[in-house]
Amino acid sequence: MSDKRSTQIWVDADACPVAIKEILFKAANRSKIQTTLVANHALQIPPSQYLNFIQVMAGFDVADNEIVKRLNSGDLVITSDIPLADEIITKGALALSPRGELFTAGNIKAKLSMRDFMDVIRSSGVQTGGPAPLSQADRQAFANHLDRWLNQNKV
């Protein structure tokens, strides 16, 4: 008897935009795929047998570590955290940003290098500004990647 379970979606929910969570809630119910949000603060999720929430203790990378501990190869993780995306890819899972950017083995090292470079720039006092607000194009790119993954991983 195999205990292999279906692939599922994990959400690094602390910084995930509400619009993206709403897309995920609808997709989980429509496709009947388990979707688990992990955060260090309380979240409201709609009642559904396909939606779960795990609240972890506050602390640096606590939610990230919980996701990495629980995910399996083939799972999808929604995150904008580049070091977390690198760990996800190393475990054989897929990482997708809320802006619809797919992190892959082919692009993650360059993204880590750029992130580290920008961190050095910011720590030297240079104001770099934050990310642009989530646009309709970002939401559409996210939904398109999510739909492709769901179609490839039908339960």
Side-chain angles (χ1 to χ4, degrees):
M1 180 172 115
S2 172
D3 65 335
K4 177 161 174 38
R5 61 152 181 80
S6 302
T7 55
Q8 63 179 318
I9 298 172
W10 297 91
V11 183
D12 181 9
D14 283 318
C16 187
V18 171
I20 298 305
K21 289 177 193 163
E22 290 171 357
I23 291 169
L24 287 163
F25 297 157
K26 290 176 187 170
N29 286 315
R30 183 183 71 241
S31 63
K32 298 177 172 59
I33 191 157
Q34 288 299 311
T35 300
T36 303
L37 290 82
V38 181
N40 61 24
H41 64 279
L43 291 178
Q44 292 286 80
I45 62 171
S48 168
Q49 65 182 359
Y50 304 107
L51 297 173
N52 304 295
F53 171 61
I54 299 171
Q55 184 171 358
V56 296
M57 293 177 24
F60 186 71
D61 287 344
V62 176
D64 298 357
N65 294 338
E66 189 68 22
I67 291 170
V68 170
K69 179 175 85 175
R70 291 175 179 250
L71 73 88
N72 288 309
S73 177
D75 286 352
L76 175 64
V77 180
I78 311 306
T79 186
S80 55
D81 185 313
I82 294 171
L84 174 57
D86 186 38
E87 288 186 74
I88 292 161
I89 292 165
T90 299
K91 281 195 75 171
L94 200 63
L96 176 63
S97 85
R99 294 181 180 274
E101 184 176 16
L102 197 58
F103 298 115
T104 66
N107 70 16
I108 195 65
K109 297 303 181 195
K111 293 192 178 302
L112 273 169
S113 293
M114 181 55 78
R115 175 197 170 273
D116 292 345
F117 172 72
M118 293 304 291
D119 202 32
V120 168
I121 295 292
R122 283 188 293 274
S123 68
S124 70
V126 175
Q127 295 294 323
T128 58
L134 191 70
S135 70
Q136 184 59 40
D138 294 333
R139 287 192 287 272
Q140 189 62 54
F142 175 83
N144 290 343
H145 275 295
L146 179 62
D147 283 343
R148 274 194 293 277
W149 185 85
L150 289 168
N151 285 328
Q152 292 169 352
N153 293 279
K154 287 193 189 266
V155 180

